Amino acid sequence: MTDESLAGLHDNEAGWQPEPYVLPRLAAVDNLAAALFGRGLSEEAAEALAGAAVQPEDMRRKLTDVNKLRVQGGTLHIVETRLWSASVVPHPANPREYGRRNYALGGASAALRILPEPESVPERGPQLQIRVPHPNDLAHRLDDAKERLVKENPLDDDIAAEGVLQPLMVVPMVVCHDRAPNRPVMLLITADGSSRISAVHHLLGYRPSLIAYDWANDVRKVRREVNRWLRLVQKQGWDALSSAEQGMVRALTVPARVVVGFVPDIRAGVRFHIAVRNFIGLTHIRPPRPYGSAVENEAKGDAVLDSLAEPTRSRPARITPQEKRWFAGMITEQEAAEEGFSPYQDVRTAEIVRTVLGGGTGTARRVNEGIRSLTAKQRPEHEDRVDIAVELILRPVRTAKNDALPYVRPRRAVLQRAYRLPEIKELPADALLEGALDSGRSLEELRDAALKEAAEGLGASGRLGVAQTELAVKASYYMVTAGTMALQTEGSGAARAQDSRSAVGVLRAMLSQRRGVIQAYEVVRAGRLGRPLHEVDEDGAPIYTDDGGYRELTDALVRHTYNGEALTEAVVGLPAARARWATVTKSVDNLCQAVSAMESVPAYEGGGSLVKREGWDPPEIEKARRYLDKASRTLADWADWYQEQNDEPGQGADADATGIHDL
């Protein structure tokens, strides 16, 4: 915001007038640095905090009686003080941007790719560390985050009038570079409050990259910048300053809760960076300002991966660091291939589903620990875990589609419903998935195993087998993300009007049949090749339309083929005839039930059957019988034609073979 845009927003009688600041003596700064170093902070972190303190003597006194803040997994030791705004930068991996991050696995360019989450620094006290490829990566990320936060969460006017009211949680963080000779840089980041510090920098005209790579290495430059404003106030007096200048002076300092120590719970063994993130989650994912469901699930996803990747006192880590990065979408397709991971997104999807949702209560306990670390929700539900898994699955999809909400939102909703398939919860944690690192199982072997389960009646009896479930997970990924959007119209449209089944019901009906297993297999094959999804018959052969093209696989077609509603479009061939025959037999059964129901109507309370006592109107009976006789003769003709074509006398004529029962 420019001086001109600020002018006139606040008159000189309004707003907060800060106390007169003075530049602290260097001796006081050195004494504070020594005291911080004595508390276990690294020398670099101690010097950075001491140089940022507005009143170093006051902060040093408070070190003797620090405040203790309980978070999930431990206790943070904090000191409340004021810091110079020119010494603090936003969190470079700000969680508020989770919903639109660009992940390497989705093909994001290096310039747009997100930075890794900061980690703890062993033996260096309450300090974070982040590794970035090059200084330019962090510089670009800091400036981009500032501009985005200022635009999406504008606080300039409020801060110009009253300064920053709520203290920022400030943590030291060292930046290490992989591909540059630059020495590590010590920054003070806002673990909570990136929007506020970004608004402050916007008012003062600061670029966070300048603070990080220029001022952070030279305390004299920070003091010179601060002194410029202090001299202006001393020279002109507060009342003589313009409204814009007063707003800038109000933003010159920020209240802060500086983390100067951390004591993990003995039983939890939580590391410092996880404790910091837990604090962020309890502040934002819970009230007062939720990030939104998609962003919340993204943040919970990273917390869950941390929980699965960390060993406990009694259990080893559930996933490796490499799997954690793959699931998080933090590696490119080439890096994933070099690590030995499958190039197919359905395999990654199945691995995430098995890891986050399968494995029974043992895995659920680990996943719930990650969820509780951000939300303090004592009993996360299965639906919570499903939503988190889906958000992890969609990270590459969102990046590839540039987070287009009209594309992502409906697909997210359908996957969330589809992966509530109860059989997924019972997938063994150690099952060898097709395409997994430790499995030599081929897609054809998975298909054959699913066919065997279907032949044994699994699915039709109410529960899919392990192979059927895995194939359902993989096929539904492509069916939902494909352009044809099979299963997509659940909940609305013509298909839903007649078929009220959920995605779970459709998937179970599909994988219960031989043809459905073959169709799911062909969906996965086509999806991996990037081809459109088409309908196939029981032998896997494509079904053609009247104009000779492949029949596109749609939601309506899937629902209809696997006991759903009748299609509004024309359907030819044996599949259409079988669907109509199912309608015929169902109608006959309904007629039988209707006749029995009518016969059970009593003539009076407690009396016998009315029709058995008094009969029914002969003309009405004759009319109904004519319809039935006509239908019976038609069915008999069909049986005769079948015998002629197949030369099998005596077959197909009896009621049991047709599936029709005597009235």
Side-chain angles (χ1 to χ4, degrees):
M1 184 176 290
T2 64
D3 290 2
E4 291 77 16
S5 64
L6 276 171
L9 287 178
H10 313 285
D11 59 47
N12 288 356
E13 299 298 324
W16 167 59
Q17 180 177 342
E19 61 182 280
Y21 301 121
V22 296
L23 201 62
R25 296 177 296 107
L26 288 176
V29 173
D30 293 340
N31 290 338
L32 174 58
L36 290 167
F37 182 73
R39 285 193 58 89
L41 277 77
S42 69
E43 183 177 351
E44 297 81 7
E47 291 177 354
L49 284 171
V54 175
Q55 296 176 312
E57 297 96 337
D58 179 66
M59 183 175 177
R60 183 162 62 90
R61 285 193 295 269
K62 290 179 178 178
L63 288 175
T64 61
D65 187 21
V66 298
N67 294 327
K68 297 179 180 180
L69 178 64
R70 277 278 300 127
V71 296
Q72 190 85 16
T75 302
L76 298 174
H77 291 181
I78 61 174
V79 170
E80 296 203 8
T81 188
R82 297 195 76 85
L83 301 179
W84 301 115
S85 303
S87 300
V88 183
V89 297
H91 195 317
N94 181 21
R96 187 175 292 281
E97 299 180 287
Y98 259 121
R100 55 177 174 275
R101 287 183 168 184
N102 294 302
Y103 292 92
L105 193 61
S109 65
L112 298 175
R113 199 172 298 161
I114 68 165
L115 298 178
E117 294 293 322
E119 299 282 344
S120 306
V121 183
E123 310 301 329
R124 302 288 281 180
Q127 178 177 308
L128 300 176
Q129 175 178 291
I130 188 172
R131 299 198 68 89
V132 299
H134 191 275
N136 289 344
D137 295 305
L138 179 63
H140 179 274
R141 190 71 192 86
L142 287 172
D143 291 345
D144 179 71
K146 173 208 162 187
E147 294 304 321
R148 194 186 295 270
L149 288 169
V150 166
K151 180 180 179 181
E152 296 187 359
N153 194 18
L155 302 172
D156 305 53
D157 291 352
D158 294 336
I159 291 175
E162 296 293 341
V164 175
L165 297 176
Q166 293 298 318
L168 316 176
M169 179 70 79
V170 174
V171 181
M173 184 184 76
V174 65
V175 182
C176 299
H177 308 97
D178 294 329
R179 299 196 304 268
N182 303 61
R183 67 182 179 86
V185 176
M186 178 59 67
L187 302 179
L188 302 179
I189 69 164
T190 54
D192 170 61
S194 291
S195 295
R196 280 166 279 166
I197 196 62
S198 294
V200 165
H201 289 170
H202 194 54
L203 280 169
L204 292 167
Y206 295 163
R207 286 186 296 111
S209 60
L210 178 70
I211 296 174
Y213 284 107
D214 192 7
W215 294 357
N217 292 321
D218 193 342
V219 68
R220 292 173 300 177
K221 293 182 178 180
V222 174
R223 290 174 67 87
R224 190 158 51 240
E225 168 64 19
V226 169
N227 201 38
R228 177 170 72 90
W229 288 102
L230 298 183
R231 286 174 178 263
L232 179 67
V233 177
Q234 292 170 357
K235 180 179 179 180
Q236 297 188 13
W238 177 261
D239 293 335
L241 298 177
S242 68
S243 295
E245 290 171 335
Q246 288 183 353
M248 293 178 184
V249 173
R250 292 183 181 115
L252 192 61
T253 70
V254 290
R257 295 193 290 186
V258 180
V259 179
V260 296
F262 172 62
V263 179
D265 292 344
I266 296 176
R267 296 178 63 86
V270 169
R271 292 193 288 167
F272 177 61
H273 75 280
I274 296 178
V276 171
R277 192 181 58 212
N278 292 349
F279 169 80
I280 298 173
L282 290 174
T283 303
H284 285 287
I285 294 178
R286 302 292 284 179
R289 187 179 178 84
Y291 287 147
S293 59
V295 178
E296 289 178 14
N297 289 329
E298 280 248 63
K300 294 174 190 173
D302 279 337
V304 165
L305 294 181
D306 269 338
S307 177
L308 294 169
E310 291 282 343
T312 66
R313 295 175 61 187
S314 58
R315 291 169 291 171
R318 176 70 178 81
I319 59 176
T320 66
Q322 292 80 7
E323 287 175 315
K324 175 183 172 182
R325 295 175 65 220
W326 188 41
F327 291 166
M330 299 293 293
I331 57 177
T332 65
E333 289 185 351
Q334 180 179 348
E335 290 169 338
E338 291 172 354
E339 293 287 352
F341 297 122
S342 171
Y344 303 124
Q345 287 297 331
D346 67 286
V347 174
R348 175 177 175 271
T349 294
E351 288 276 23
I352 291 175
V353 165
R354 176 182 67 164
T355 302
V356 177
L357 305 179
T361 57
T363 298
R365 190 178 301 115
R366 294 284 288 262
V367 173
N368 287 348
E369 287 171 2
I371 298 173
R372 282 195 294 268
S373 70
L374 289 188
T375 66
K377 188 174 184 179
Q378 291 304 306
R379 299 191 180 204
E381 299 174 349
H382 178 63
E383 288 73 15
D384 298 324
R385 298 191 288 274
V386 171
D387 293 349
I388 290 168
V390 168
E391 215 57 45
L392 291 172
I393 289 165
L394 285 177
R395 283 182 172 183
V397 176
R398 287 194 294 100
T399 300
K401 292 294 182 180
N402 199 24
D403 199 23
L405 287 179
Y407 178 91
V408 174
R409 186 174 291 157
R411 287 160 173 82
R412 173 189 289 123
V414 178
L415 279 179
Q416 287 172 344
R417 291 193 286 267
Y419 290 157
R420 288 189 172 94
L421 185 69
E423 290 89 326
I424 289 176
K425 290 190 295 185
E426 299 172 7
L427 284 174
D430 56 352
L432 296 180
L433 296 180
E434 176 270 330
L437 276 172
D438 51 356
S439 172
R441 195 181 204 182
S442 68
L443 182 60
E444 288 67 32
E445 289 174 324
L446 174 62
R447 174 201 61 195
D448 293 342
L451 285 171
K452 181 179 179 183
E453 290 174 346
E456 293 171 352
L458 293 178
S461 61
R463 308 294 291 182
L464 294 174
V466 172
Q468 290 169 303
T469 303
E470 181 182 333
L471 195 54
V473 168
K474 293 180 173 178
S476 58
Y477 170 82
Y478 291 118
M479 292 166 70
V480 172
T481 58
T484 52
M485 288 303 293
L487 298 182
Q488 175 51 33
T489 57
E490 179 200 352
S492 63
R496 179 69 171 179
Q498 297 185 35
D499 183 2
S500 61
R501 292 177 300 162
S502 66
V504 166
V506 175
L507 283 173
R508 185 176 289 124
M510 179 178 178
L511 273 296
S512 298
Q513 303 178 33
R514 170 185 169 80
R515 182 182 176 189
V517 171
I518 298 296
Q519 180 70 77
Y521 162 75
E522 292 294 340
V523 163
V524 175
R525 280 213 318 147
R528 291 180 180 182
L529 295 172
R531 296 175 178 171
L533 308 185
H534 300 124
E535 185 188 19
V536 298
D537 62 19
E538 287 196 359
D539 297 320
I543 294 179
Y544 299 91
T545 60
D546 292 339
D547 59 5
Y550 289 148
R551 184 180 300 284
E552 182 180 72
L553 194 66
T554 64
D555 174 73
L557 186 59
V558 170
R559 288 176 175 275
H560 165 69
T561 304
Y562 304 102
N563 302 323
E565 84 292 354
L567 292 177
T568 56
E569 60 177 335
V571 177
V572 299
L574 189 59
R578 282 179 172 165
R580 300 299 186 271
W581 179 250
T583 303
V584 171
T585 57
K586 184 176 181 180
S587 298
V588 173
D589 287 338
N590 289 339
L591 177 60
C592 293
Q593 294 174 16
V595 170
S596 297
M598 183 170 180
E599 193 175 45
S600 66
V601 175
Y604 51 86
E605 187 71 30
S609 169
L610 184 147
V611 293
K612 286 186 176 180
R613 175 179 173 177
E614 300 182 10
W616 199 251
D617 184 36
E620 292 189 16
I621 293 290
E622 184 61 28
K623 181 180 179 180
R625 290 188 63 184
R626 284 200 303 270
Y627 285 129
L628 291 175
D629 288 342
K630 182 177 179 180
S632 179
R633 288 194 300 271
T634 300
L635 295 178
D637 289 340
W638 294 354
D640 291 342
W641 297 336
Y642 182 89
Q643 291 176 13
E644 291 175 4
Q645 292 294 325
N646 294 275
D647 194 24
E648 295 180 1
Q651 295 296 317
D654 59 358
D656 291 338
T658 61
I660 297 178
H661 305 285
D662 292 334
L663 296 178

